[in-house]
mmCIF file of all heavy atoms in Angstrom:
data_model
loop_
_atom_site.group_PDB
_atom_site.id
_atom_site.type_symbol
_atom_site.label_atom_id
_atom_site.label_comp_id
_atom_site.label_asym_id
_atom_site.label_seq_id
_atom_site.Cartn_x
_atom_site.Cartn_y
_atom_site.Cartn_z
ATOM 1 N N LEU N 6 1.364 12.332 0.140
ATOM 2 C CA LEU N 6 1.590 13.380 -0.734
ATOM 3 C C LEU N 6 1.016 13.099 -2.288
ATOM 4 O O LEU N 6 0.397 13.922 -2.873
ATOM 5 C CB LEU N 6 3.143 13.656 -0.922
ATOM 6 C CG LEU N 6 3.553 14.783 -1.937
ATOM 7 C CD1 LEU N 6 2.967 16.081 -1.547
ATOM 8 C CD2 LEU N 6 5.050 14.882 -2.087
ATOM 9 N N PHE N 8 -1.498 11.419 -3.078
ATOM 10 C CA PHE N 8 -2.998 11.570 -3.072
ATOM 11 C C PHE N 8 -3.369 13.044 -3.085
ATOM 12 O O PHE N 8 -4.216 13.439 -3.843
ATOM 13 C CB PHE N 8 -3.591 10.945 -1.796
ATOM 14 C CG PHE N 8 -3.556 9.308 -1.865
ATOM 15 C CD1 PHE N 8 -2.543 8.792 -1.067
ATOM 16 C CD2 PHE N 8 -4.341 8.698 -2.606
ATOM 17 C CE1 PHE N 8 -2.451 7.379 -1.027
ATOM 18 C CE2 PHE N 8 -4.357 7.192 -2.497
ATOM 19 C CZ PHE N 8 -3.324 6.642 -1.836
ATOM 20 N N ASN N 9 -2.640 13.792 -2.196
ATOM 21 C CA ASN N 9 -2.922 15.238 -2.261
ATOM 22 C C ASN N 9 -2.571 15.968 -3.672
ATOM 23 O O ASN N 9 -3.302 16.902 -3.928
ATOM 24 C CB ASN N 9 -2.190 15.920 -1.022
ATOM 25 C CG ASN N 9 -2.678 15.449 0.260
ATOM 26 O OD1 ASN N 9 -4.025 15.630 0.443
ATOM 27 N ND2 ASN N 9 -2.048 15.154 1.239
ATOM 28 N N CYS N 10 -1.467 15.501 -4.131
ATOM 29 C CA CYS N 10 -1.066 15.997 -5.521
ATOM 30 C C CYS N 10 -2.099 15.788 -6.507
ATOM 31 O O CYS N 10 -2.496 16.573 -7.427
ATOM 32 C CB CYS N 10 0.271 15.564 -5.924
ATOM 33 S SG CYS N 10 1.695 16.098 -5.162
ATOM 34 N N TRP N 16 -8.539 19.354 -9.026
ATOM 35 C CA TRP N 16 -9.136 20.570 -8.751
ATOM 36 C C TRP N 16 -8.653 21.684 -9.792
ATOM 37 O O TRP N 16 -9.444 22.491 -10.360
ATOM 38 C CB TRP N 16 -8.776 20.938 -7.334
ATOM 39 C CG TRP N 16 -9.267 22.224 -6.957
ATOM 40 C CD1 TRP N 16 -10.405 22.639 -6.430
ATOM 41 C CD2 TRP N 16 -8.517 23.536 -6.921
ATOM 42 N NE1 TRP N 16 -10.450 24.010 -6.079
ATOM 43 C CE2 TRP N 16 -9.265 24.629 -6.496
ATOM 44 C CE3 TRP N 16 -7.057 23.833 -7.349
ATOM 45 C CZ2 TRP N 16 -8.831 25.896 -6.379
ATOM 46 C CZ3 TRP N 16 -6.799 25.155 -7.104
ATOM 47 C CH2 TRP N 16 -7.529 26.174 -6.732
ATOM 48 N N TRP N 17 -7.382 21.782 -9.951
ATOM 49 C CA TRP N 17 -6.779 22.787 -10.891
ATOM 50 C C TRP N 17 -7.133 22.649 -12.247
ATOM 51 O O TRP N 17 -7.626 23.526 -12.851
ATOM 52 C CB TRP N 17 -5.216 22.791 -10.784
ATOM 53 C CG TRP N 17 -4.556 23.842 -11.576
ATOM 54 C CD1 TRP N 17 -4.279 25.144 -11.150
ATOM 55 C CD2 TRP N 17 -4.067 23.713 -12.876
ATOM 56 N NE1 TRP N 17 -3.728 25.767 -12.117
ATOM 57 C CE2 TRP N 17 -3.566 24.961 -13.184
ATOM 58 C CE3 TRP N 17 -4.119 22.762 -13.828
ATOM 59 C CZ2 TRP N 17 -3.073 25.307 -14.404
ATOM 60 C CZ3 TRP N 17 -3.514 23.139 -15.124
ATOM 61 C CH2 TRP N 17 -3.045 24.344 -15.395
ATOM 62 N N ALA N 19 -10.133 21.361 -13.405
ATOM 63 C CA ALA N 19 -11.411 21.644 -13.454
ATOM 64 C C ALA N 19 -11.588 23.137 -13.448
ATOM 65 O O ALA N 19 -12.448 23.815 -14.136
ATOM 66 C CB ALA N 19 -12.207 20.999 -12.368
ATOM 67 N N ALA N 22 -10.308 24.840 -16.639
ATOM 68 C CA ALA N 22 -11.188 24.606 -17.734
ATOM 69 C C ALA N 22 -12.566 25.269 -17.557
ATOM 70 O O ALA N 22 -13.307 25.202 -18.406
ATOM 71 C CB ALA N 22 -11.423 23.089 -18.113
ATOM 72 N N GLU N 30 -15.974 22.822 -6.749
ATOM 73 C CA GLU N 30 -16.146 24.262 -6.354
ATOM 74 C C GLU N 30 -15.926 24.358 -4.840
ATOM 75 O O GLU N 30 -15.270 25.257 -4.251
ATOM 76 C CB GLU N 30 -17.305 25.041 -6.939
ATOM 77 C CG GLU N 30 -17.261 25.402 -8.394
ATOM 78 C CD GLU N 30 -16.155 26.489 -8.602
ATOM 79 O OE1 GLU N 30 -15.832 27.313 -7.810
ATOM 80 O OE2 GLU N 30 -15.934 26.675 -9.863
ATOM 81 N N PHE N 32 -14.898 22.010 -2.778
ATOM 82 C CA PHE N 32 -13.902 21.183 -2.152
ATOM 83 C C PHE N 32 -12.922 21.879 -1.296
ATOM 84 O O PHE N 32 -12.384 23.133 -1.706
ATOM 85 C CB PHE N 32 -13.237 20.382 -3.237
ATOM 86 C CG PHE N 32 -12.111 19.489 -2.596
ATOM 87 C CD1 PHE N 32 -12.554 18.341 -1.897
ATOM 88 C CD2 PHE N 32 -10.752 19.706 -2.778
ATOM 89 C CE1 PHE N 32 -11.672 17.383 -1.401
ATOM 90 C CE2 PHE N 32 -9.810 18.898 -2.239
ATOM 91 C CZ PHE N 32 -10.192 17.706 -1.575
ATOM 92 N N SER N 38 -5.725 11.609 6.717
ATOM 93 C CA SER N 38 -4.515 10.889 7.023
ATOM 94 C C SER N 38 -4.692 9.369 6.853
ATOM 95 O O SER N 38 -3.777 8.596 7.037
ATOM 96 C CB SER N 38 -4.025 11.111 8.515
ATOM 97 O OG SER N 38 -5.048 10.623 9.357
ATOM 98 N N GLU N 41 -7.634 4.628 2.408
ATOM 99 C CA GLU N 41 -8.726 3.631 2.353
ATOM 100 C C GLU N 41 -8.931 2.921 1.070
ATOM 101 O O GLU N 41 -8.661 3.359 0.097
ATOM 102 C CB GLU N 41 -10.138 4.453 2.634
ATOM 103 C CG GLU N 41 -11.378 3.672 2.555
ATOM 104 C CD GLU N 41 -11.452 2.689 3.690
ATOM 105 O OE1 GLU N 41 -10.576 2.412 4.452
ATOM 106 O OE2 GLU N 41 -12.593 2.117 3.932
ATOM 107 N N PRO N 45 -13.172 -2.901 -0.466
ATOM 108 C CA PRO N 45 -12.653 -3.330 0.788
ATOM 109 C C PRO N 45 -11.550 -4.437 0.734
ATOM 110 O O PRO N 45 -11.663 -5.275 -0.097
ATOM 111 C CB PRO N 45 -13.756 -3.722 1.632
ATOM 112 C CG PRO N 45 -14.849 -3.968 0.698
ATOM 113 C CD PRO N 45 -14.573 -3.281 -0.470
ATOM 114 N N TYR N 47 -10.906 -6.522 3.182
ATOM 115 C CA TYR N 47 -11.579 -7.797 3.798
ATOM 116 C C TYR N 47 -13.188 -7.566 3.722
ATOM 117 O O TYR N 47 -13.745 -7.105 4.847
ATOM 118 C CB TYR N 47 -11.130 -7.999 5.228
ATOM 119 C CG TYR N 47 -9.660 -8.052 5.310
ATOM 120 C CD1 TYR N 47 -8.892 -6.886 5.876
ATOM 121 C CD2 TYR N 47 -8.950 -9.175 4.889
ATOM 122 C CE1 TYR N 47 -7.509 -7.037 5.935
ATOM 123 C CE2 TYR N 47 -7.554 -9.221 5.022
ATOM 124 C CZ TYR N 47 -6.848 -8.108 5.462
ATOM 125 O OH TYR N 47 -5.497 -8.211 5.628
ATOM 126 N N MET N 49 -17.006 -7.656 4.130
ATOM 127 C CA MET N 49 -17.828 -8.390 5.172
ATOM 128 C C MET N 49 -18.657 -9.517 4.510
ATOM 129 O O MET N 49 -18.832 -10.552 5.055
ATOM 130 C CB MET N 49 -18.728 -7.514 5.818
ATOM 131 C CG MET N 49 -18.177 -6.703 6.969
ATOM 132 S SD MET N 49 -19.397 -5.630 7.615
ATOM 133 C CE MET N 49 -18.739 -5.149 9.146
ATOM 134 N N GLY N 51 -17.742 -11.021 1.752
ATOM 135 C CA GLY N 51 -16.850 -11.969 1.107
ATOM 136 C C GLY N 51 -16.990 -12.081 -0.383
ATOM 137 O O GLY N 51 -16.354 -12.866 -1.017
ATOM 138 N N CYS N 67 -7.768 5.575 -1.723
ATOM 139 C CA CYS N 67 -7.985 6.995 -1.762
ATOM 140 C C CYS N 67 -7.758 7.426 -0.214
ATOM 141 O O CYS N 67 -7.683 6.727 0.659
ATOM 142 C CB CYS N 67 -9.452 7.372 -2.031
ATOM 143 S SG CYS N 67 -10.741 6.477 -1.004
ATOM 144 N N ILE N 69 -8.837 9.581 2.903
ATOM 145 C CA ILE N 69 -10.009 10.047 3.730
ATOM 146 C C ILE N 69 -9.701 10.292 5.087
ATOM 147 O O ILE N 69 -8.617 9.980 5.586
ATOM 148 C CB ILE N 69 -11.371 9.155 3.548
ATOM 149 C CG1 ILE N 69 -10.906 7.726 4.263
ATOM 150 C CG2 ILE N 69 -11.742 8.910 2.132
ATOM 151 C CD1 ILE N 69 -12.170 6.795 4.270
ATOM 152 N N SER N 70 -10.554 10.884 5.839
ATOM 153 C CA SER N 70 -10.289 11.107 7.260
ATOM 154 C C SER N 70 -10.293 9.808 8.082
ATOM 155 O O SER N 70 -10.853 8.830 7.757
ATOM 156 C CB SER N 70 -11.337 12.011 7.962
ATOM 157 O OG SER N 70 -12.630 11.377 8.005
ATOM 158 N N LYS N 73 -13.799 8.512 9.166
ATOM 159 C CA LYS N 73 -14.458 7.930 8.035
ATOM 160 C C LYS N 73 -14.024 6.387 7.780
ATOM 161 O O LYS N 73 -14.757 5.587 7.489
ATOM 162 C CB LYS N 73 -14.530 8.737 6.756
ATOM 163 C CG LYS N 73 -15.482 9.943 6.812
ATOM 164 C CD LYS N 73 -15.438 10.629 5.529
ATOM 165 C CE LYS N 73 -16.309 11.901 5.586
ATOM 166 N NZ LYS N 73 -16.244 12.673 4.439
ATOM 167 N N SER N 81 -19.248 -3.474 2.441
ATOM 168 C CA SER N 81 -19.214 -3.822 1.024
ATOM 169 C C SER N 81 -19.051 -2.614 0.232
ATOM 170 O O SER N 81 -19.314 -1.423 0.547
ATOM 171 C CB SER N 81 -20.413 -4.567 0.567
ATOM 172 O OG SER N 81 -21.484 -3.710 0.488
ATOM 173 N N SER N 97 -19.671 17.614 0.046
ATOM 174 C CA SER N 97 -18.624 17.468 1.010
ATOM 175 C C SER N 97 -17.878 16.304 0.909
ATOM 176 O O SER N 97 -17.476 15.667 1.962
ATOM 177 C CB SER N 97 -19.288 17.592 2.468
ATOM 178 O OG SER N 97 -20.019 16.478 2.677
ATOM 179 N N TYR N 104 -14.054 11.246 -5.542
ATOM 180 C CA TYR N 104 -15.010 11.712 -6.452
ATOM 181 C C TYR N 104 -14.951 11.166 -7.759
ATOM 182 O O TYR N 104 -15.934 10.731 -8.449
ATOM 183 C CB TYR N 104 -15.045 13.227 -6.446
ATOM 184 C CG TYR N 104 -16.137 13.993 -7.128
ATOM 185 C CD1 TYR N 104 -17.406 13.727 -6.952
ATOM 186 C CD2 TYR N 104 -15.761 14.996 -8.009
ATOM 187 C CE1 TYR N 104 -18.445 14.394 -7.504
ATOM 188 C CE2 TYR N 104 -16.807 15.684 -8.663
ATOM 189 C CZ TYR N 104 -18.128 15.315 -8.518
ATOM 190 O OH TYR N 104 -19.018 15.925 -9.284
ATOM 191 N N SER N 108 -17.439 8.532 -9.948
ATOM 192 C CA SER N 108 -18.039 8.821 -11.209
ATOM 193 C C SER N 108 -17.675 7.777 -12.213
ATOM 194 O O SER N 108 -18.552 7.354 -12.974
ATOM 195 C CB SER N 108 -17.358 10.085 -11.750
ATOM 196 O OG SER N 108 -17.618 11.183 -11.013
ATOM 197 N N ARG N 111 -20.067 4.803 -11.438
ATOM 198 C CA ARG N 111 -21.447 5.205 -11.888
ATOM 199 C C ARG N 111 -21.619 4.927 -13.313
ATOM 200 O O ARG N 111 -22.719 4.442 -13.724
ATOM 201 C CB ARG N 111 -21.828 6.639 -11.567
ATOM 202 C CG ARG N 111 -22.599 6.723 -10.299
ATOM 203 C CD ARG N 111 -23.102 8.246 -10.219
ATOM 204 N NE ARG N 111 -22.246 8.865 -9.091
ATOM 205 C CZ ARG N 111 -21.477 9.806 -9.346
ATOM 206 N NH1 ARG N 111 -21.271 10.362 -10.523
ATOM 207 N NH2 ARG N 111 -20.750 10.372 -8.250
ATOM 208 N N GLU N 112 -20.607 5.064 -14.124
ATOM 209 C CA GLU N 112 -20.680 4.835 -15.603
ATOM 210 C C GLU N 112 -21.027 3.448 -15.896
ATOM 211 O O GLU N 112 -21.883 3.226 -16.950
ATOM 212 C CB GLU N 112 -19.356 5.072 -16.192
ATOM 213 C CG GLU N 112 -18.979 6.570 -16.172
ATOM 214 C CD GLU N 112 -17.601 6.887 -16.904
ATOM 215 O OE1 GLU N 112 -17.041 5.924 -17.464
ATOM 216 O OE2 GLU N 112 -17.211 8.048 -16.844
ATOM 217 N N ASN N 114 -21.613 0.912 -13.291
ATOM 218 C CA ASN N 114 -22.053 0.248 -12.089
ATOM 219 C C ASN N 114 -21.311 -0.876 -11.719
ATOM 220 O O ASN N 114 -21.768 -2.030 -11.366
ATOM 221 C CB ASN N 114 -23.497 -0.156 -12.188
ATOM 222 C CG ASN N 114 -24.255 -0.436 -10.849
ATOM 223 O OD1 ASN N 114 -23.804 0.250 -9.845
ATOM 224 N ND2 ASN N 114 -25.182 -1.243 -10.732
ATOM 225 N N TRP N 116 -16.846 -2.021 -10.481
ATOM 226 C CA TRP N 116 -15.491 -1.529 -9.979
ATOM 227 C C TRP N 116 -14.642 -2.769 -10.254
ATOM 228 O O TRP N 116 -14.848 -3.881 -9.722
ATOM 229 C CB TRP N 116 -15.503 -1.058 -8.590
ATOM 230 C CG TRP N 116 -14.210 -0.423 -8.195
ATOM 231 C CD1 TRP N 116 -13.261 -1.026 -7.398
ATOM 232 C CD2 TRP N 116 -13.733 0.858 -8.567
ATOM 233 N NE1 TRP N 116 -12.224 -0.220 -7.325
ATOM 234 C CE2 TRP N 116 -12.365 0.895 -8.015
ATOM 235 C CE3 TRP N 116 -14.230 1.752 -9.463
ATOM 236 C CZ2 TRP N 116 -11.646 2.134 -8.304
ATOM 237 C CZ3 TRP N 116 -13.294 2.869 -9.615
ATOM 238 C CH2 TRP N 116 -12.152 3.073 -9.085
#
Side-chain angles (χ1 to χ4, degrees):
L6 177 64
F8 293 98
N9 288 312
C10 284
W16 176 83
W17 186 83
E30 284 288 342
F32 180 74
S38 59
E41 175 68 348
Y47 306 106
M49 286 179 157
C67 58
I69 62 174
S70 71
K73 284 183 183 175
S81 72
S97 64
Y104 183 53
S108 296
R111 260 186 254 118
E112 288 176 8
N114 201 27
W116 186 254

